[in-house]
Amino acid sequence: MFAFQLYFLRTKDEVIEKFKDFKNKVEKQTSKQIKVLRTDNGGEYCSKIFEKFLCDNGITHQKTNSHTPEQNGMAERFNRTIVEKAKSLLFDQNLSKIFWAEACNTACYLMNRSVASGVSKTPFEIWNGKKPNVSHLRVFGSTAMVHIPKVNRQKWDKKATKHIL
């Protein structure tokens, strides 16, 4: 279903639940097990609960040295690429920073459907074994009309509301 996946957290204590969700999806979709997790040595990844979960599931936890993002280079580059693409989407449409999560999700979605240098397939295609359908793509930040279901409106009410895509 996905290649690159983003999870948005309100607090760092949500990390373990999001990781469990990620682990379940990856292992069910690929029939392979996660063997190694490399993290930046942040407290959210070093809690006793998280460490026990990794140990119970046979996952080796590799921790990078503090303040050395270059040791986790691929993840750091991915994060920077997502943020730069998201900023471009927001700036291009003159949208407020409050839409940062939507912009990040859109950037990730587009990256999964774009060919990267050195690879002849998109991440979506590698993950799912088929070419992605991109006919539904629209301009980020454009006007979108959202349908209001019949049960939520009366006869003379509007059938749709105007939103930002």
Side-chain angles (χ1 to χ4, degrees):
M1 197 74 176
F2 60 86
F4 297 118
Q5 180 73 39
L6 298 179
Y7 289 91
F8 298 100
L9 310 174
R10 290 192 189 281
T11 61
K12 289 186 176 190
D13 63 346
E14 295 177 45
V15 165
I16 189 159
E17 291 307 315
K18 300 295 183 181
F19 181 75
K20 286 178 182 179
D21 179 55
F22 172 76
K23 178 184 174 300
N24 288 335
K25 284 180 184 175
V26 167
E27 291 179 355
K28 281 194 173 39
Q29 291 179 13
T30 65
S31 300
K32 295 181 181 179
Q33 301 268 316
I34 295 175
K35 296 176 182 131
V36 177
L37 176 68
R38 180 175 294 165
T39 66
D40 64 1
N41 216 356
E44 65 271 28
Y45 301 111
C46 298
S47 70
K48 288 180 182 174
I49 296 169
F50 196 84
E51 290 285 359
K52 182 174 180 350
F53 177 79
L54 294 177
C55 184
D56 290 348
N57 286 275
I59 300 171
T60 302
H61 190 189
Q62 295 179 350
K63 300 173 196 168
T64 63
N65 293 324
S66 297
H67 310 296
T68 55
E70 58 273 9
Q71 289 184 344
N72 205 1
M74 183 181 282
E76 296 296 335
R77 281 192 305 277
F78 174 73
N79 289 343
R80 190 176 84 209
T81 301
I82 289 290
V83 169
E84 293 301 320
K85 286 181 186 293
K87 284 164 92 174
S88 295
L89 291 168
L90 291 174
F91 295 153
D92 186 56
Q93 292 296 320
N94 293 318
L95 291 174
S96 167
K97 289 185 227 175
I98 63 168
F99 294 109
W100 71 270
E102 288 81 2
C104 287
N105 263 336
T106 301
C108 186
Y109 188 85
L110 294 172
M111 283 178 61
N112 281 330
R113 285 149 183 80
S114 304
V115 178
S117 62
V119 184
S120 61
K121 295 181 178 180
T122 66
F124 180 94
E125 193 173 351
I126 292 167
W127 189 265
N128 295 296
K130 60 182 180 181
K131 289 189 179 287
N133 178 0
V134 294
S135 65
H136 63 284
L137 294 179
R138 300 293 181 264
V139 175
F140 180 83
S142 59
T143 302
M145 298 304 288
V146 178
H147 180 259
I148 302 170
K150 197 171 188 174
V151 296
N152 294 340
R153 58 183 160 83
Q154 294 180 352
K155 186 173 185 174
W156 294 102
D157 289 344
K158 296 187 287 185
K159 289 186 176 183
T161 56
K162 198 176 197 179
H163 291 269
I164 297 172
L165 179 68

PDB file of all heavy atoms in Angstrom, residues 91-111:
ATOM      1  N   PHE A  91       4.430  27.527  -0.149  1.00  0.00           N
ATOM      2  CA  PHE A  91       4.818  28.839  -0.684  1.00  0.00           C
ATOM      3  C   PHE A  91       4.207  29.083  -2.050  1.00  0.00           C
ATOM      4  O   PHE A  91       3.779  30.192  -2.365  1.00  0.00           O
ATOM      5  CB  PHE A  91       6.336  28.968  -0.765  1.00  0.00           C
ATOM      6  CG  PHE A  91       7.028  28.955   0.576  1.00  0.00           C
ATOM      7  CD1 PHE A  91       8.332  28.519   0.693  1.00  0.00           C
ATOM      8  CD2 PHE A  91       6.379  29.375   1.738  1.00  0.00           C
ATOM      9  CE1 PHE A  91       8.981  28.498   1.925  1.00  0.00           C
ATOM     10  CE2 PHE A  91       7.016  29.362   2.969  1.00  0.00           C
ATOM     11  CZ  PHE A  91       8.319  28.924   3.054  1.00  0.00           C
ATOM     12  N   ASP A  92       4.140  28.033  -2.877  1.00  0.00           N
ATOM     13  CA  ASP A  92       3.600  28.179  -4.226  1.00  0.00           C
ATOM     14  C   ASP A  92       2.137  28.617  -4.214  1.00  0.00           C
ATOM     15  O   ASP A  92       1.700  29.372  -5.072  1.00  0.00           O
ATOM     16  CB  ASP A  92       3.745  26.859  -4.994  1.00  0.00           C
ATOM     17  CG  ASP A  92       3.329  26.986  -6.429  1.00  0.00           C
ATOM     18  OD1 ASP A  92       3.890  27.858  -7.138  1.00  0.00           O
ATOM     19  OD2 ASP A  92       2.429  26.234  -6.858  1.00  0.00           O
ATOM     20  N   GLN A  93       1.394  28.149  -3.213  1.00  0.00           N
ATOM     21  CA  GLN A  93      -0.035  28.483  -3.125  1.00  0.00           C
ATOM     22  C   GLN A  93      -0.328  29.559  -2.085  1.00  0.00           C
ATOM     23  O   GLN A  93      -1.489  29.829  -1.782  1.00  0.00           O
ATOM     24  CB  GLN A  93      -0.846  27.220  -2.812  1.00  0.00           C
ATOM     25  CG  GLN A  93      -0.864  26.218  -3.933  1.00  0.00           C
ATOM     26  CD  GLN A  93      -1.546  26.750  -5.175  1.00  0.00           C
ATOM     27  OE1 GLN A  93      -2.563  27.440  -5.090  1.00  0.00           O
ATOM     28  NE2 GLN A  93      -0.991  26.451  -6.329  1.00  0.00           N
ATOM     29  N   ASN A  94       0.718  30.162  -1.524  1.00  0.00           N
ATOM     30  CA  ASN A  94       0.556  31.187  -0.488  1.00  0.00           C
ATOM     31  C   ASN A  94      -0.323  30.712   0.662  1.00  0.00           C
ATOM     32  O   ASN A  94      -1.192  31.441   1.152  1.00  0.00           O
ATOM     33  CB  ASN A  94      -0.015  32.484  -1.074  1.00  0.00           C
ATOM     34  CG  ASN A  94       0.956  33.137  -2.014  1.00  0.00           C
ATOM     35  OD1 ASN A  94       2.150  33.197  -1.728  1.00  0.00           O
ATOM     36  ND2 ASN A  94       0.460  33.605  -3.135  1.00  0.00           N
ATOM     37  N   LEU A  95      -0.089  29.469   1.088  1.00  0.00           N
ATOM     38  CA  LEU A  95      -0.874  28.908   2.188  1.00  0.00           C
ATOM     39  C   LEU A  95      -0.136  29.086   3.512  1.00  0.00           C
ATOM     40  O   LEU A  95       1.090  29.140   3.559  1.00  0.00           O
ATOM     41  CB  LEU A  95      -1.140  27.419   1.946  1.00  0.00           C
ATOM     42  CG  LEU A  95      -2.079  27.104   0.791  1.00  0.00           C
ATOM     43  CD1 LEU A  95      -2.149  25.598   0.553  1.00  0.00           C
ATOM     44  CD2 LEU A  95      -3.478  27.635   1.077  1.00  0.00           C
ATOM     45  N   SER A  96      -0.903  29.131   4.573  1.00  0.00           N
ATOM     46  CA  SER A  96      -0.362  29.293   5.919  1.00  0.00           C
ATOM     47  C   SER A  96       0.383  28.034   6.366  1.00  0.00           C
ATOM     48  O   SER A  96       0.118  26.930   5.897  1.00  0.00           O
ATOM     49  CB  SER A  96      -1.529  29.572   6.880  1.00  0.00           C
ATOM     50  OG  SER A  96      -1.114  29.450   8.210  1.00  0.00           O
ATOM     51  N   LYS A  97       1.280  28.215   7.338  1.00  0.00           N
ATOM     52  CA  LYS A  97       2.038  27.094   7.902  1.00  0.00           C
ATOM     53  C   LYS A  97       1.134  26.085   8.601  1.00  0.00           C
ATOM     54  O   LYS A  97       1.560  24.957   8.845  1.00  0.00           O
ATOM     55  CB  LYS A  97       3.068  27.604   8.911  1.00  0.00           C
ATOM     56  CG  LYS A  97       4.226  28.332   8.287  1.00  0.00           C
ATOM     57  CD  LYS A  97       5.235  28.682   9.371  1.00  0.00           C
ATOM     58  CE  LYS A  97       5.663  30.115   9.230  1.00  0.00           C
ATOM     59  NZ  LYS A  97       6.557  30.537  10.318  1.00  0.00           N
ATOM     60  N   ILE A  98      -0.098  26.459   8.911  1.00  0.00           N
ATOM     61  CA  ILE A  98      -0.986  25.508   9.596  1.00  0.00           C
ATOM     62  C   ILE A  98      -1.287  24.285   8.725  1.00  0.00           C
ATOM     63  O   ILE A  98      -1.722  23.255   9.234  1.00  0.00           O
ATOM     64  CB  ILE A  98      -2.313  26.157  10.068  1.00  0.00           C
ATOM     65  CG1 ILE A  98      -3.137  26.652   8.883  1.00  0.00           C
ATOM     66  CG2 ILE A  98      -2.060  27.255  11.066  1.00  0.00           C
ATOM     67  CD1 ILE A  98      -4.558  27.039   9.261  1.00  0.00           C
ATOM     68  N   PHE A  99      -1.018  24.389   7.428  1.00  0.00           N
ATOM     69  CA  PHE A  99      -1.251  23.273   6.513  1.00  0.00           C
ATOM     70  C   PHE A  99       0.002  22.419   6.319  1.00  0.00           C
ATOM     71  O   PHE A  99       0.089  21.638   5.378  1.00  0.00           O
ATOM     72  CB  PHE A  99      -1.737  23.793   5.154  1.00  0.00           C
ATOM     73  CG  PHE A  99      -3.084  24.441   5.208  1.00  0.00           C
ATOM     74  CD1 PHE A  99      -3.200  25.815   5.051  1.00  0.00           C
ATOM     75  CD2 PHE A  99      -4.235  23.700   5.435  1.00  0.00           C
ATOM     76  CE1 PHE A  99      -4.441  26.428   5.097  1.00  0.00           C
ATOM     77  CE2 PHE A  99      -5.477  24.315   5.490  1.00  0.00           C
ATOM     78  CZ  PHE A  99      -5.583  25.676   5.323  1.00  0.00           C
ATOM     79  N   TRP A 100       0.994  22.547   7.228  1.00  0.00           N
ATOM     80  CA  TRP A 100       2.267  21.848   7.051  1.00  0.00           C
ATOM     81  C   TRP A 100       2.098  20.327   6.973  1.00  0.00           C
ATOM     82  O   TRP A 100       2.750  19.673   6.163  1.00  0.00           O
ATOM     83  CB  TRP A 100       3.263  22.216   8.156  1.00  0.00           C
ATOM     84  CG  TRP A 100       2.912  21.655   9.507  1.00  0.00           C
ATOM     85  CD1 TRP A 100       2.154  22.250  10.463  1.00  0.00           C
ATOM     86  CD2 TRP A 100       3.290  20.380  10.036  1.00  0.00           C
ATOM     87  NE1 TRP A 100       2.036  21.424  11.560  1.00  0.00           N
ATOM     88  CE2 TRP A 100       2.722  20.262  11.326  1.00  0.00           C
ATOM     89  CE3 TRP A 100       4.045  19.325   9.547  1.00  0.00           C
ATOM     90  CZ2 TRP A 100       2.889  19.141  12.119  1.00  0.00           C
ATOM     91  CZ3 TRP A 100       4.217  18.204  10.355  1.00  0.00           C
ATOM     92  CH2 TRP A 100       3.644  18.123  11.614  1.00  0.00           C
ATOM     93  N   ALA A 101       1.205  19.746   7.784  1.00  0.00           N
ATOM     94  CA  ALA A 101       1.039  18.289   7.770  1.00  0.00           C
ATOM     95  C   ALA A 101       0.436  17.813   6.448  1.00  0.00           C
ATOM     96  O   ALA A 101       0.874  16.802   5.888  1.00  0.00           O
ATOM     97  CB  ALA A 101       0.174  17.843   8.950  1.00  0.00           C
ATOM     98  N   GLU A 102      -0.539  18.566   5.934  1.00  0.00           N
ATOM     99  CA  GLU A 102      -1.132  18.209   4.645  1.00  0.00           C
ATOM    100  C   GLU A 102      -0.100  18.323   3.535  1.00  0.00           C
ATOM    101  O   GLU A 102      -0.039  17.489   2.625  1.00  0.00           O
ATOM    102  CB  GLU A 102      -2.343  19.102   4.342  1.00  0.00           C
ATOM    103  CG  GLU A 102      -3.557  18.804   5.195  1.00  0.00           C
ATOM    104  CD  GLU A 102      -3.507  19.422   6.589  1.00  0.00           C
ATOM    105  OE1 GLU A 102      -2.534  20.138   6.907  1.00  0.00           O
ATOM    106  OE2 GLU A 102      -4.435  19.170   7.367  1.00  0.00           O
ATOM    107  N   ALA A 103       0.731  19.357   3.612  1.00  0.00           N
ATOM    108  CA  ALA A 103       1.785  19.538   2.612  1.00  0.00           C
ATOM    109  C   ALA A 103       2.807  18.400   2.691  1.00  0.00           C
ATOM    110  O   ALA A 103       3.250  17.883   1.661  1.00  0.00           O
ATOM    111  CB  ALA A 103       2.472  20.889   2.799  1.00  0.00           C
ATOM    112  N   CYS A 104       3.170  17.984   3.899  1.00  0.00           N
ATOM    113  CA  CYS A 104       4.110  16.867   4.066  1.00  0.00           C
ATOM    114  C   CYS A 104       3.511  15.567   3.527  1.00  0.00           C
ATOM    115  O   CYS A 104       4.193  14.798   2.842  1.00  0.00           O
ATOM    116  CB  CYS A 104       4.503  16.697   5.527  1.00  0.00           C
ATOM    117  SG  CYS A 104       5.614  17.972   6.133  1.00  0.00           S
ATOM    118  N   ASN A 105       2.246  15.313   3.825  1.00  0.00           N
ATOM    119  CA  ASN A 105       1.591  14.116   3.296  1.00  0.00           C
ATOM    120  C   ASN A 105       1.555  14.130   1.778  1.00  0.00           C
ATOM    121  O   ASN A 105       1.794  13.110   1.128  1.00  0.00           O
ATOM    122  CB  ASN A 105       0.154  14.010   3.832  1.00  0.00           C
ATOM    123  CG  ASN A 105       0.054  13.101   5.027  1.00  0.00           C
ATOM    124  OD1 ASN A 105       0.871  12.220   5.230  1.00  0.00           O
ATOM    125  ND2 ASN A 105      -0.960  13.318   5.834  1.00  0.00           N
ATOM    126  N   THR A 106       1.250  15.285   1.207  1.00  0.00           N
ATOM    127  CA  THR A 106       1.217  15.405  -0.248  1.00  0.00           C
ATOM    128  C   THR A 106       2.601  15.193  -0.841  1.00  0.00           C
ATOM    129  O   THR A 106       2.757  14.482  -1.840  1.00  0.00           O
ATOM    130  CB  THR A 106       0.662  16.786  -0.665  1.00  0.00           C
ATOM    131  OG1 THR A 106      -0.661  16.915  -0.131  1.00  0.00           O
ATOM    132  CG2 THR A 106       0.626  16.942  -2.166  1.00  0.00           C
ATOM    133  N   ALA A 107       3.618  15.770  -0.222  1.00  0.00           N
ATOM    134  CA  ALA A 107       4.993  15.601  -0.698  1.00  0.00           C
ATOM    135  C   ALA A 107       5.388  14.123  -0.674  1.00  0.00           C
ATOM    136  O   ALA A 107       5.962  13.608  -1.634  1.00  0.00           O
ATOM    137  CB  ALA A 107       5.948  16.426   0.156  1.00  0.00           C
ATOM    138  N   CYS A 108       5.057  13.432   0.383  1.00  0.00           N
ATOM    139  CA  CYS A 108       5.362  12.008   0.507  1.00  0.00           C
ATOM    140  C   CYS A 108       4.604  11.198  -0.555  1.00  0.00           C
ATOM    141  O   CYS A 108       5.166  10.320  -1.215  1.00  0.00           O
ATOM    142  CB  CYS A 108       5.021  11.516   1.903  1.00  0.00           C
ATOM    143  SG  CYS A 108       5.506   9.818   2.218  1.00  0.00           S
ATOM    144  N   TYR A 109       3.335  11.517  -0.725  1.00  0.00           N
ATOM    145  CA  TYR A 109       2.496  10.847  -1.724  1.00  0.00           C
ATOM    146  C   TYR A 109       3.099  11.005  -3.112  1.00  0.00           C
ATOM    147  O   TYR A 109       3.192  10.045  -3.883  1.00  0.00           O
ATOM    148  CB  TYR A 109       1.088  11.434  -1.660  1.00  0.00           C
ATOM    149  CG  TYR A 109       0.063  10.713  -2.491  1.00  0.00           C
ATOM    150  CD1 TYR A 109      -0.594   9.604  -1.987  1.00  0.00           C
ATOM    151  CD2 TYR A 109      -0.252  11.146  -3.773  1.00  0.00           C
ATOM    152  CE1 TYR A 109      -1.546   8.938  -2.739  1.00  0.00           C
ATOM    153  CE2 TYR A 109      -1.201  10.490  -4.527  1.00  0.00           C
ATOM    154  CZ  TYR A 109      -1.850   9.380  -4.013  1.00  0.00           C
ATOM    155  OH  TYR A 109      -2.792   8.723  -4.764  1.00  0.00           O
ATOM    156  N   LEU A 110       3.539  12.226  -3.437  1.00  0.00           N
ATOM    157  CA  LEU A 110       4.136  12.486  -4.743  1.00  0.00           C
ATOM    158  C   LEU A 110       5.487  11.789  -4.898  1.00  0.00           C
ATOM    159  O   LEU A 110       5.804  11.270  -5.976  1.00  0.00           O
ATOM    160  CB  LEU A 110       4.286  13.991  -4.969  1.00  0.00           C
ATOM    161  CG  LEU A 110       2.973  14.767  -5.076  1.00  0.00           C
ATOM    162  CD1 LEU A 110       3.240  16.272  -5.090  1.00  0.00           C
ATOM    163  CD2 LEU A 110       2.173  14.329  -6.295  1.00  0.00           C
ATOM    164  N   MET A 111       6.280  11.763  -3.838  1.00  0.00           N
ATOM    165  CA  MET A 111       7.575  11.070  -3.891  1.00  0.00           C
ATOM    166  C   MET A 111       7.390   9.579  -4.158  1.00  0.00           C
ATOM    167  O   MET A 111       8.177   8.971  -4.886  1.00  0.00           O
ATOM    168  CB  MET A 111       8.356  11.267  -2.591  1.00  0.00           C
ATOM    169  CG  MET A 111       9.002  12.624  -2.496  1.00  0.00           C
ATOM    170  SD  MET A 111       9.872  12.878  -0.939  1.00  0.00           S
ATOM    171  CE  MET A 111      11.105  11.594  -0.983  1.00  0.00           C
TER     172      MET A 111
END
